[in-house]
Amino acid sequence: MADESKASKQKAAPQGGKAPQGGKPAPGGKPRGGKGGAAAAPAAAPVATRARVTGDVPPRLRDRFRTAVIPALMKERGYTNPFQVPRLEKIVINMGVGEGKENPKILDFATADLQTITGQKPVITRAKKSIANFKLRENVPIGCKVTLRGARMYEFLDRLVNIALPRVRDFKGVAPKAFDGRGNYALGLKEQVIFPEIVYDKVDKVRGMDVVMVTSARTDEEAKALLTHLGVPFRES
């Protein structure tokens, strides 16, 4: 019996100098972060840096809005606070590609053109319901769109107003009545080649697009005054 008790004690003893849980480390063993020694510091996780939206030069149209447009609208409209001045919240560019339901490669060309124009990856838009007359099924890709905010929004509007629209043939200004009654303006473009980023020789087909300017204005009159100060050339009707 005595030999069996000694054998059981030898089996229960820790092997390799490891300390039992809740006790002191055995001789020759390494401490595990208790009072006997300091624990090794965990490696710091790498900090993810967000990609820069623009370069070192800020958008000139945004600087113009802050320095010139806001004081002008406050004086013209009688605002008492700069935060009462309506602002441009976002610009949505939509390109419909009806042929995409039959040939997905055509949709790739349209997506590439829209990404080149805006500098942002487009989102594929899909049909919400099936329409038999148009041979359209639900969830079929039929277009692409991009939503621009912040610096990219002002840069796109600057290029649209000062470079793209003057390249339209017989351009006399945009329609002044294309507001939706809530301060948002919709503009239709027939060709994507008016943007200088598009190389005409590499275009597979001329496509149009819709440009929707969403503002914080409550009325169409306030939105028109804001867009006029930002440089949108409205046609005199």
Side-chain angles (χ1 to χ4, degrees), residues 34-208:
K35 295 183 179 180
V47 180
T49 58
R50 189 175 182 180
R52 294 177 62 87
V53 177
T54 57
D56 298 331
V57 181
R60 63 175 185 174
L61 193 59
R62 184 176 62 183
D63 295 341
R64 177 186 171 188
F65 172 75
R66 294 175 178 176
T67 58
V69 176
I70 290 180
L73 287 176
M74 289 182 64
K75 183 178 180 180
E76 178 183 337
R77 308 288 301 180
Y79 298 122
T80 58
N81 193 316
F83 293 99
Q84 292 178 324
V85 178
R87 284 166 169 77
L88 189 63
E89 294 183 346
K90 62 182 178 180
I91 295 179
V92 182
I93 302 99
N94 177 40
M95 182 180 291
V97 187
E99 304 90 347
K101 62 180 182 295
E102 300 175 357
N103 188 359
K105 192 174 182 180
I106 297 179
L107 189 60
D108 295 338
F109 286 113
T111 304
D113 290 343
L114 193 57
Q115 183 173 357
T116 303
I117 293 172
T118 60
Q120 185 171 312
K121 187 176 181 180
V123 177
I124 304 299
T125 56
R126 300 179 179 274
K128 295 183 179 179
K129 61 180 180 180
S130 301
I131 302 177
N133 294 335
F134 296 103
K135 298 180 180 179
L136 185 65
R137 294 183 179 180
E138 186 179 358
N139 204 28
V140 173
I142 55 174
C144 54
K145 71 173 182 178
V146 169
T147 301
L148 300 177
R149 292 183 175 88
R152 287 181 179 174
M153 173 186 67
Y154 284 105
E155 289 176 351
F156 173 80
L157 182 61
D158 193 1
R159 288 185 287 110
L160 174 67
V161 170
N162 298 310
I163 299 178
L165 289 180
R167 299 179 65 180
V168 177
R169 182 180 300 178
D170 299 332
F171 180 70
K172 298 180 181 179
V174 298
K177 297 182 179 180
F179 291 91
D180 64 345
R182 299 181 181 180
N184 305 319
Y185 183 76
L187 172 64
L189 301 176
K190 296 182 179 180
E191 300 176 349
Q192 82 272 33
V193 294
I194 62 175
F195 291 93
E197 296 86 1
I198 300 297
V199 180
Y200 186 81
D201 296 336
K202 297 182 179 180
V203 173
D204 63 321
K205 183 180 178 181
V206 177
R207 297 184 182 88

